[in-house]
Amino acid sequence: MKLYEIAKILRSKNSGPFCVTLDVFFYTNNDYNSIKNNDVITRKTIANAYGLPIENVSEPMYYDQAMGIKITYDRVISSGTVGDRDVYGAQQHAPLMNLTINKDY
Amino acid sequence: MSEQLRILCPCGILGYGFPEDSFLRGMEKKPDAIVVDAGSTDAGPHKLGKGVSIVSRLAMKKDVSYLVNYGTKQGIPIIIGSAGGAGAKVHVEWTLDILNETLEENGISAKVAVIWADIDKTDIYQALEQGCITPMSATVPEMTQTTLDSTHSVVAQMGHEPILKALESDVDIIICGRAYDPSPFAALGIKYGFDSGLCYHMGKVLECGALCAELGSAKDCIVGTLYNDHFVVEATNPKCRCTVTSVAAHTFYEKDNPYILHGPGFHLDLSACQYVQKSETEVRVTGSKFIVDEQYRIKLEGARQVAYRTFFIGGVRDPLLLSILENVQENVMESVRQQFNYIDPERYSMRYYNYGMNAVMGENEPQKFAGHEVGVLFEAIADTQELADAICAALRSTMLHYGYEGRKTTAGNLAFPYAPNDITFGPVYQFSVFHLMDVDDGIAHFPIQIFTYPQGEME
């Protein structure tokens, strides 16, 4: 099963011109907690999915009130300059969508 | 202190436009003020570098005419944050010109406060020498005298303090240069004694228009109402609905931490916030905490020109070429390097983006290509426009006629949508300043001027 199948909102966006932040929100507390407690979204899984050095990825943040998880990484190239591919950082979420999750939780 | 304060935000960026019905429904709720953000770093560094806006003058004027006709005419104060897209002097002046023209055409007179947010580079040099400059994140370029010299203009995000000061002069309209997005929203509530944490949190939710509502967008209206110990948000378009998730999720938006939001001179702690569905369409929020920072810091933003660009777009449909496209492109670039062997290779670079293959994610694209058509964008970057044009022309002609191994189509390798094929882009910019600067207070760097419009006479 892929992460997007249980996500209500799943997105990427600039957090300032030098970082991209990934957000995922869930429909149910059950889904949210199982992802939160099973290390699905970690610095390592995100670094792997995005081909980034682990030190470019921040610790994931959990916001229980919104059933949401956020994780941020440093851009290699800042927004809108030579070599950038996504000025708003708004189409960088596909590798996150496709993270494989264990459906037995 | 009154019991409540209601703010209407017509859209996420002034000039984005909004449905008239939504705006009128918002006005029926009798807002105490209309507040709207007009800028962002999101669209890229060219706004600061080139001094241009995100929206057209035509669209901006349309939005401004709603504000003055329904706001100023009825005595409802208007605050515009980060005027003109990036909030530098040129952007503020552009906004003032449109405002002046609109007021004049509608026969409305207004007292207008302007808060400038341009930071003198000598102040920044000084702060740099004193160790009072901190980069915002790891990949921000190091600030040096050279990078500062080549940076066109630097702005700083103001907090609510200068806006509060402008409000003391009893003005009809406040035009802010670069502002922390929620500050223009927060200032009014703080003036009337509402809790600063709630004022700022509500500002954060409102500043993107109805983006905080389900099915809402930044091109639609939102209303927020402050009370003694909570605030309530509601979209005015009946097709949109604020829900606990949509509002809580919006607090996340474009931020690297979901419960600590850093602003000028303070941070917001949202870890104890509660979001409750008050009615079908309204969400009530409590528990936002405003914490004053020990050291007041303002965020500096600046951009510099780094190169010139020329590019072309062409489609590739030939299956034989598609199977070896990137190899061909590498060979084309090598051929162009040889054609220009009399030019210092440090002066230019070439890049291709293959839309349909991996243009969005580049070498990090995990998916294998399996399509029948690719959009090729080829660009030349150089230290002069003339050289960028020349390199691009050579890239285009070489790619068009390149004789790759096994080619059957000898007539041409690209389908161009346009003639001429090459597009001279102009300068390319880079965010060269994205740093925090320690300051004594939140007022000194943001001077205020007051004008009476439409004549534009200074008081």
Side-chain angles (χ1 to χ4, degrees), chain A residues 8-9 11 13-19 21 23-26 49-52 56 58 61-63 65-70 72 74-76 78-88 91-95 98, chain B residues 41-45 54 137-141 214 244-245 248-250 252-259 270-273 275 306-307 309 351-353 358-362 364 366-367 379 381 428-431 434:
Chain A
K8 183 177 186 185
I9 298 170
R11 67 191 177 195
K13 185 75 203 283
N14 288 351
S15 170
F18 293 90
C19 297
T21 189
D23 297 339
V24 53
F25 299 90
F26 299 90
Y50 283 82
L52 295 165
N56 283 26
S58 70
M61 302 277 183
Y62 301 96
Y63 199 33
Q65 292 97 316
M67 297 185 283
I69 305 173
K70 168 183 276 301
T72 304
D74 293 331
R75 278 169 166 270
V76 177
S78 66
S79 163
T81 197
V82 175
D84 183 25
R85 293 173 175 275
D86 188 351
V87 171
Y88 291 78
Q91 281 292 313
Q92 300 301 314
H93 54 290
N98 289 326
Chain B
T41 53
D42 249 11
I54 323 173
S137 61
T139 51
V140 174
E214 273 180 19
V244 167
T245 315
H250 191 71
F252 263 56
Y253 191 60
E254 296 172 331
K255 292 289 161 195
D256 58 3
N257 185 317
Y259 36 82
L270 306 180
S271 54
C273 279
Y275 302 83
V306 288
R309 173 188 280 136
R351 234 167 248 93
Y352 54 83
Y353 298 80
N358 63 358
V360 175
M361 307 221 45
N364 293 329
Q367 200 100 352
E379 71 171 10
I381 298 285
V428 184
Y429 301 88
Q430 175 201 41
F431 280 107
F434 201 62

Side-chain angles (χ1 to χ4, degrees), chain B residues 143-265:
Chain B
M143 187 189 280
T144 63
Q145 187 129 347
T146 319
T147 58
L148 261 183
D149 281 341
S150 59
T151 296
H152 295 242
S153 58
V154 181
V155 294
Q157 294 190 2
M158 70 180 77
H160 59 279
E161 297 89 340
I163 307 168
L164 267 182
K165 202 173 156 200
L167 283 167
E168 282 169 17
S169 302
D170 201 22
V171 291
D172 303 302
I173 301 172
I174 300 178
I175 306 291
C176 307
R178 184 65 170 131
Y180 177 55
D181 292 348
S183 292
F185 296 86
L188 210 70
I190 293 173
K191 175 182 158 81
Y192 289 106
F194 289 90
D195 178 85
S196 302
L198 293 171
C199 291
Y200 261 104
H201 192 181
M202 188 170 97
K204 169 66 189 157
V205 175
L206 297 188
E207 57 105 350
C208 287
L211 201 59
C212 64
E214 273 180 19
L215 302 178
S217 87
K219 294 162 84 79
D220 212 331
C221 310
I222 187 93
V223 165
T225 311
L226 279 165
Y227 297 90
N228 179 33
D229 60 353
H230 68 280
F231 69 87
V232 174
V233 285
E234 182 183 23
T236 67
N237 186 334
K239 289 179 190 149
C240 312
R241 199 168 81 90
C242 282
T243 66
V244 167
T245 315
S246 74
V247 174
H250 191 71
T251 307
F252 263 56
Y253 191 60
E254 296 172 331
K255 292 289 161 195
D256 58 3
N257 185 317
Y259 36 82
I260 304 289
L261 304 185
H262 291 276

